[in-house]
Amino acid sequence: MAAELAAGNLDEPVIKEESAEDGAAEDDGVADERPEQLDSVSHLCEVIAVGGADAITGGRIAWLGHATVLIELDGVRVLTDPVLRRRLAHLERAEAVADDALPPLDLVLVSHVHYDHLDRPSLRRLGRRAALVAVPAGAARLVRGTGVGEVVELAEGAQLEVGAVRVRATHAEHAATRRMLARDVPSLGFVVEGSRRVYFAGDTDLFDGMTGLADGLDVALLPVAGWGPTLPPGHLDPAGAAEAVRRLRPRVAIPIHWGTLKPLYRRTPYSDDAPEQFAARVREVAPGVEVRVLRVGESTTI
């Protein structure tokens, strides 16, 4: 029996059994609803077969929906917060993730323990394709037993190296609990750096240390919305995400965490216009930053 989550907020689940996550409902047909082309932003992306034979030498980013992003940098493949199944409790994924979009991964980064970011069935689907999984300190027990490779815990400020890429765990202003753990587990963002420097915010609100978090950022991957009609504290809306861009000063900003998960009672996700609002606000507060909007399954070189 699937875990029962409170209908209003995946951040605060009411769960009968942790193991119930493994009993997710089978995929069912959902209309393929996609947002219209956003004419007011830079949309320089193409649909690609993500799971090619070899990782590219330079840099490429593919958005697989919600906070799941494939970062290919200097021959290393990094996947963030994998949520891959079509049903997640009372939510449906607007886009399916095909197996051929899941190549062998050198590293999986999990930003925090909420169910729409740390999804055990999705990790089980990856299995040994995920060679190394990095989670916040205190969260390893949730990942072990999913069949992935090595699991490591990171505290804020910790670093690890995978091939030619270095990853640094950063602060995230986002309270995260999971009932099985019965205590808060710190949330993280990550800076992934090699020949390019990419910041993945996870879920976060604005925080003082965001200014100067990483010098010379090429890309900032920033949440701009949620799956419901409102955002609880600890999240960024389009205006907040634009302020984050002003503080971070990346070369390119890519909005994520929008237009993917929807409640069962809706035909389309909430906030499909969030990227357009974000881009408009960025033009006001950080006009030198390029905004690139990816739809689910699309990629861009960096």
Side-chain angles (χ1 to χ4, degrees), residues 200-250:
F200 169 71
D203 269 358
T204 189
D205 209 334
L206 297 168
F207 55 90
D208 291 340
M210 192 172 278
T211 301
L213 182 74
D215 294 332
L217 275 179
D218 291 285
V219 180
L221 301 163
L222 295 171
V224 300
W227 58 263
T230 60
L231 278 175
H235 296 80
L236 295 173
D237 61 10
E243 171 60 19
V245 169
R246 189 190 70 79
R247 298 183 186 189
L248 292 163
R249 292 292 175 179

Side-chain angles (χ1 to χ4, degrees), residues 133-295:
V133 179
V135 300
R141 61 181 291 192
L142 293 172
V143 176
R144 295 193 178 104
T146 59
V148 297
E150 183 182 359
V151 180
V152 298
E153 294 187 340
L154 297 180
E156 184 178 321
Q159 299 186 34
L160 61 84
E161 294 188 3
V162 179
V165 168
R166 177 184 294 112
V167 176
R168 173 167 55 93
T170 67
H171 180 74
E173 192 70 17
H174 185 76
T177 60
R178 189 142 168 156
R179 193 164 296 270
M180 180 184 180
L181 297 178
R183 60 185 175 85
D184 287 348
V185 175
S187 298
L188 298 175
F190 299 98
V191 176
V192 181
E193 50 188 325
S195 61
R196 310 285 191 276
R197 190 168 292 177
V198 179
Y199 170 57
F200 169 71
D203 269 358
T204 189
D205 209 334
L206 297 168
F207 55 90
D208 291 340
M210 192 172 278
T211 301
L213 182 74
D215 294 332
L217 275 179
D218 291 285
V219 180
L221 301 163
L222 295 171
V224 300
W227 58 263
T230 60
L231 278 175
H235 296 80
L236 295 173
D237 61 10
E243 171 60 19
V245 169
R246 189 190 70 79
R247 298 183 186 189
L248 292 163
R249 292 292 175 179
R251 178 171 56 86
V252 174
I254 297 176
I256 61 173
H257 209 278
W258 67 276
T260 308
L261 298 176
K262 68 178 186 64
L264 294 173
Y265 57 81
R266 283 185 60 89
R267 284 181 52 81
T268 59
Y270 286 102
S271 302
D272 274 353
D273 61 345
E276 188 171 27
Q277 295 179 38
F278 168 69
R281 186 64 176 158
V282 169
R283 285 197 299 272
E284 295 176 4
V285 302
V289 177
E290 178 189 359
V291 175
R292 299 185 192 176
V293 176
L294 304 180
R295 296 176 184 175

Side-chain angles (χ1 to χ4, degrees), residues 54-177:
D54 299 302
I56 64 173
T57 302
R60 181 170 63 189
I61 287 174
W63 184 47
L64 302 185
H66 203 55
T68 306
V69 182
L70 179 64
I71 303 168
E72 294 185 278
L73 183 60
D74 301 338
V76 177
R77 287 191 174 112
V78 180
L79 188 70
T80 65
D81 288 355
V83 174
L84 308 171
R85 52 183 172 143
R86 196 63 178 267
R87 279 283 299 277
L88 185 67
H90 61 289
L91 300 180
E92 285 181 320
R93 211 178 192 283
E95 305 280 351
V97 178
D99 279 338
D100 62 5
L102 300 172
L105 301 164
D106 300 289
L107 175 64
V108 172
L109 297 174
V110 175
S111 65
H112 64 286
V113 298
H114 284 151
Y115 287 81
D116 59 330
H117 291 258
L118 194 166
D119 182 51
R120 286 171 52 86
S122 294
L123 291 171
R124 184 170 291 108
R125 180 177 172 185
L126 291 175
R128 290 293 172 175
R129 278 180 288 193
L132 176 65
V133 179
V135 300
R141 61 181 291 192
L142 293 172
V143 176
R144 295 193 178 104
T146 59
V148 297
E150 183 182 359
V151 180
V152 298
E153 294 187 340
L154 297 180
E156 184 178 321
Q159 299 186 34
L160 61 84
E161 294 188 3
V162 179
V165 168
R166 177 184 294 112
V167 176
R168 173 167 55 93
T170 67
H171 180 74
E173 192 70 17
H174 185 76
T177 60

